[in-house]
Amino acid sequence: MSRALFAPSMNVAELRESATIAVSARAKALAAEGRRIVDLGAGEPDFPTPKFICDAAHAAIDAGRTRYTQVEGILPLRQAIAARANARPRRSGTEVTPSNVVVTTGSKQALFDACFTLFGAGDEVLVPTPAWTSYYEMIGLARAVPVVVRGARDRELKVTADDLRRAATSRTRGLLLNSPCNPTGAVYDLAELTEILELASSEGWWVISDEIYRRIVYDGEAPSLLDVPSAGERVVIVDGVAKAYSMTGWRIGWAIAPPTVARAMTALQSHTTSNASTPAQYAAVAALTSAEAEPAIRAMVSEFRRRRDAALRILHSADADVIEPRGAFYLFIRVGDGSQSPEAGTICAQRMLEEHGIAIVPGAAFRAPEWVRISYAAPEEHVLTGVSALTSVLESASR
Ligand code: PLP
């Protein structure tokens, strides 16, 4: 009798491959076959890492900084992260110190470590939805249950404290917030965050706040949980250099957490990845401390704004139902109303790729199957080609 070589363990039996990475992989496979593919699926800035940051990495390597570091990250980087947290003008609560900070291999690892450390079997974790595909899987890997909480269309799909209260049970242990949001670009204002945090702290829930897109914002500022006076102690803030500094491949992120949680996350990391890449940590110090960083971020954000506005003009003139992004670099567009096919977004993304050679992400990846996501972290002509193709797919579908 032949036995299958491999049956996935219980740990990963339910795990689904990241849908955003799957689209990019399919687009790359078609490109390898010689098709011209416009990739609007990827979630990474299309700008090079600024030179002063690359120079800092070269200098670190030349100085022999190529060995293991402390598991929680080098002190100058943790100091720089703490200093930025304390410098926030509306900063409330106790001071952030380096002992609150764990440097990780991308913010993705910080999110995973936080979920794995705070949640376990039987716990329920509220996920304002639509949300980034990996949250649901990370919570599942911790053997906890992600609970989908949908936001209303007239609030840009954001949730309120009442929505969360209704979804909670006696097993609810926490909540995963993301503002600016991937995939919608929606930004929670201070009043909305305050209301949610008051509920969380009165219920004793942990709040993990993914603030990776906070610096990519178009109107004013996106508040951090560090700005919320009532945030309480059960808060883990996750951020990193990937998006704001165009450093996706350097893999540096971090968590700011109470010292006990930071120590538990460090212990977990000590048995999995050890420290984040050493030269990349030195590069991140330059990103966070150099005066050259702010103009570089402003230039990138103003380019994103130009692309967003040009794409929105096309979508509005075609009467598309699009959420006007206030941050991040994604357009979230409704392509079905539930009456035709529950997977309208998947069908639309397939047609865009196979018929037009344009890769976009189906909303099912974010648990919103009637929607699709277009990234405008791509050259403007690509974005406009993609948005125009989408409007023609929508028109032909409605005929
Ligand atoms: N959080 C969100 C919402 C993201 O969209 C991404 C990347 O796409 C990440 C976290 C991961 O970022 P990093 O490259 O820092 O791991």
Side-chain angles (χ1 to χ4, degrees), residues 43 105-109 111 132 135 178 182 210 212-213 242-243 248 251-252 330:
T105 301
S107 65
K108 204 174 224 181
Q109 191 193 7
L111 289 162
W132 186 47
Y135 296 155
N178 174 217
N182 174 9
D210 178 353
I212 190 75
Y213 293 103
K243 315 286 179 177
T248 45
R251 311 308 303 130
I252 297 293
Y330 306 108

Side-chain angles (χ1 to χ4, degrees), residues 11-331:
N11 299 328
V12 295
E14 303 282 312
L15 193 64
R16 285 187 272 179
E17 187 192 357
S18 159
T20 46
I21 290 176
V23 171
S24 284
R26 174 76 184 133
K28 284 191 179 95
L30 286 175
E33 288 167 15
R35 286 266 320 260
R36 188 178 168 273
I37 299 295
V38 169
D39 187 358
L40 304 180
E44 61 177 336
D46 54 317
F47 305 103
T49 303
K51 183 170 180 307
F52 73 93
I53 298 175
C54 299
D55 289 345
H58 286 299
I61 293 168
D62 290 343
R65 290 172 165 160
T66 54
R67 304 172 71 115
Y68 293 135
T69 69
Q70 301 92 304
V71 170
E72 65 272 34
I74 57 173
L75 186 60
L77 180 52
R78 287 182 296 121
Q79 280 170 331
I81 292 163
R84 281 163 60 98
N86 294 326
R88 295 200 53 69
R90 287 173 304 199
R91 173 92 187 91
S92 60
T94 51
E95 190 166 312
V96 174
T97 72
S99 67
N100 296 108
V101 179
V102 187
V103 175
T104 54
T105 301
S107 65
K108 204 174 224 181
Q109 191 193 7
L111 289 162
F112 175 80
D113 287 356
C115 287
F116 213 73
T117 301
L118 296 172
F119 309 126
D123 292 345
E124 291 180 1
V125 183
L126 306 178
V127 185
T129 297
W132 186 47
T133 182
S134 294
Y135 296 155
Y136 308 97
E137 306 298 332
M138 288 175 179
I139 293 166
L141 282 169
R143 304 194 190 202
V145 180
V147 176
V148 167
V149 186
R150 292 198 184 275
R153 173 65 187 92
D154 60 5
R155 286 193 310 270
E156 302 162 301
L157 305 180
K158 288 186 284 188
V159 302
T160 62
D162 278 342
D163 295 330
L164 296 167
R165 195 178 283 112
R166 275 193 296 274
T169 71
S170 57
R171 291 181 300 280
T172 305
R173 292 287 171 271
L175 153 72
L176 228 160
L177 277 181
N178 174 217
S179 173
C181 172
N182 174 9
T184 61
V187 173
Y188 283 80
D189 67 26
L190 199 57
E192 291 165 331
L193 288 179
T194 302
E195 219 189 313
I196 290 172
L197 266 291
E198 274 168 6
L199 170 68
S201 107
S202 76
E203 297 291 329
W205 298 339
W206 280 97
V207 181
I208 300 176
S209 178
D210 178 353
E211 302 185 357
I212 190 75
Y213 293 103
R214 215 178 51 75
R215 302 301 314 278
I216 302 174
V217 68
Y218 306 109
D219 318 300
E221 263 206 66
S224 162
L225 284 203
L226 289 166
D227 302 319
V228 178
S230 54
E233 298 206 311
R234 291 196 168 89
V235 167
V236 177
I237 290 168
V238 172
D239 202 345
V241 291
K243 315 286 179 177
Y245 302 91
S246 212
M247 291 177 71
T248 45
W250 298 71
R251 311 308 303 130
I252 297 293
W254 57 83
I256 299 177
T260 44
V261 176
R263 278 199 295 278
M265 289 175 64
T266 302
L268 173 59
Q269 181 158 292
S270 76
H271 295 295
T272 51
T273 56
S274 299
N275 59 274
S277 155
T278 303
Q281 290 191 60
Y282 284 94
V285 173
L288 296 188
T289 57
S290 164
E292 291 180 64
E294 291 308 309
I297 295 175
R298 274 199 299 276
M300 184 175 72
V301 171
S302 91
E303 176 58 24
F304 283 146
R305 183 188 285 109
R306 245 171 31 79
R307 297 175 190 172
R308 175 196 72 157
D309 292 348
L312 282 176
R313 276 194 290 277
I314 297 175
L315 290 164
H316 286 324
S317 68
D319 264 343
D321 184 2
V322 55
I323 295 182
E324 199 153 321
R326 298 176 195 282
F329 37 66
Y330 306 108
L331 292 156

